[in-house]
């Protein structure tokens, strides 16, 4: 099974190094010297990692055969893809590969159906579940312990405890609009009852 483990960024220096956006929790394993990675687009690879180092908080890689800035810059935005055994599990407890989380049903702790995970977005600050709701709309769920309280791979579901507004914001807006309309209707009714409302016949002076 193939998993995207990184995206190549800009060239660094003049000797063929590139910055990479890491998309794996195990860079020391997936992006180690000697690793051979497929690419997207396929024409850019396969690429063999020659060296790797961290500089100013960013991982820098050099690939075999890439010796100058021009060649490195030509790889910009290329995705690096590792071959992974589908049965393989992450080393750390409570960590998951993307393919394990895809298509999980998302429910609240009270049993309310939210939708199905269709994508995992890896951002610098946190990961997000992109969840497709039954009506076809999407909602983004931060993959943090305070919100995603349980991942049950056997039951194929993710249990969440969403803060107010995360999944029910539209319902709150509708409820607020309905409440305003009800208040307007009540106010109009009261005005008509005491004789101060608009005369729909148009005969009042």
């Amino acid at each position: 099974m193939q998993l995207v483990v990184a995206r190549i960024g800009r060239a660094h220096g003049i000797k063929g190094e590139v910055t990479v956006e890491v998309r794996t929790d195990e860079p020391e394993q997936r992006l180690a010297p000697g690793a051979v990675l497929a690419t997207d687009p396929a024409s850019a690879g396969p690429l063999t990692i020659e060296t790797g180092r961290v500089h100013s908080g960013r991982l820098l890689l050099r690939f075999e055969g890439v010796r100058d800035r021009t060649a490195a810059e030509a790889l910009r935005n290329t995705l690096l893809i590792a071959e992974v055994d589908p049965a393989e599990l992450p080393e750390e407890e409570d960590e998951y590969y993307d393919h394990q989380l895809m298509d999980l049903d998302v429910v609240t702790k009270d049993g309310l159906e939210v939708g199905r995970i269709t994508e995992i977005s890896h951002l610098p600050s946190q990961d997000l579940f992109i969840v497709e709701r039954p009506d076809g709309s999407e909602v983004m769920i931060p993959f943090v312990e305070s919100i995603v309280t349980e991942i049950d791979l056997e039951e194929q579901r993710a249990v969440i405890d969403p803060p107010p507004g995360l999944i029910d914001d539209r319902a709150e807006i509708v409820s607020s609009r309905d409440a305003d309309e009800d208040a307007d209707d009540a106010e109009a009714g009261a005005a008509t009852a005491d004789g101060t409302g608009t005369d729909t016949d148009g005969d009042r002076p």
Side-chain angles (χ1 to χ4, degrees):
M1 181 174 187
Q2 292 188 321
L3 295 177
V4 174
V5 293
R7 182 182 67 85
I8 297 176
R10 67 181 184 275
H12 178 84
I14 61 173
K15 296 183 178 180
E17 284 187 313
V18 296
T19 62
V20 294
E21 173 191 317
V22 177
R23 297 188 179 182
T24 174
D25 291 328
E26 300 169 324
E28 68 285 347
Q29 177 183 350
R30 307 297 178 194
L31 301 172
V36 181
L37 302 169
T39 60
D40 182 7
S43 59
L47 294 172
T48 300
I49 297 176
E50 185 174 276
T51 63
R53 64 188 180 97
V54 176
H55 175 73
S56 299
R58 299 294 301 272
L59 179 61
L60 302 179
L61 297 179
R62 179 185 288 115
F63 302 102
E64 291 183 3
V66 179
R67 295 301 180 205
D68 57 41
R69 186 178 184 88
T70 300
E73 191 63 35
L75 295 172
R76 191 167 186 170
N77 293 323
T78 296
L79 298 179
L80 299 176
I81 303 169
E83 192 69 37
V84 177
D85 184 344
E88 183 180 338
L89 297 176
E91 295 179 357
E92 297 295 327
E93 187 177 356
D94 295 330
E95 289 186 356
Y96 305 91
Y97 292 133
D98 286 6
H99 71 272
Q100 295 175 293
L101 302 172
M102 292 291 290
D103 291 326
L104 292 188
D105 293 323
V106 179
V107 298
T108 67
K109 63 178 184 178
D110 298 323
L112 176 67
E113 179 186 1
V114 178
R116 178 177 60 87
I117 298 175
T118 57
E119 182 182 346
I120 292 92
S121 179
H122 300 281
L123 303 179
S125 58
Q126 64 185 9
D127 294 337
L128 292 174
F129 290 162
I130 310 301
V131 178
E132 182 177 321
R133 308 195 71 170
D135 64 3
S137 62
E138 291 184 338
V139 60
M140 292 183 290
I141 308 292
F143 187 18
V144 294
E145 187 176 357
S146 60
I147 296 177
V148 181
T149 60
E150 180 184 358
I151 297 292
D152 190 333
L153 296 180
E154 289 188 5
E155 296 294 330
Q156 286 290 286
R157 69 176 186 175
V159 180
I160 66 172
D161 183 15
L166 181 64
I167 63 172
D168 55 358
D169 53 340
R170 290 175 300 165
E172 291 179 359
I173 292 172
V174 172
S175 298
S176 176
R177 184 186 302 118
D178 290 344
D180 290 343
E181 291 176 352
D182 290 343
D184 291 343
D185 291 343
E187 185 176 325
T192 302
D194 64 13
T196 60
T198 301
D199 187 341
T200 56
D201 293 334
D203 294 332
R204 292 178 68 91

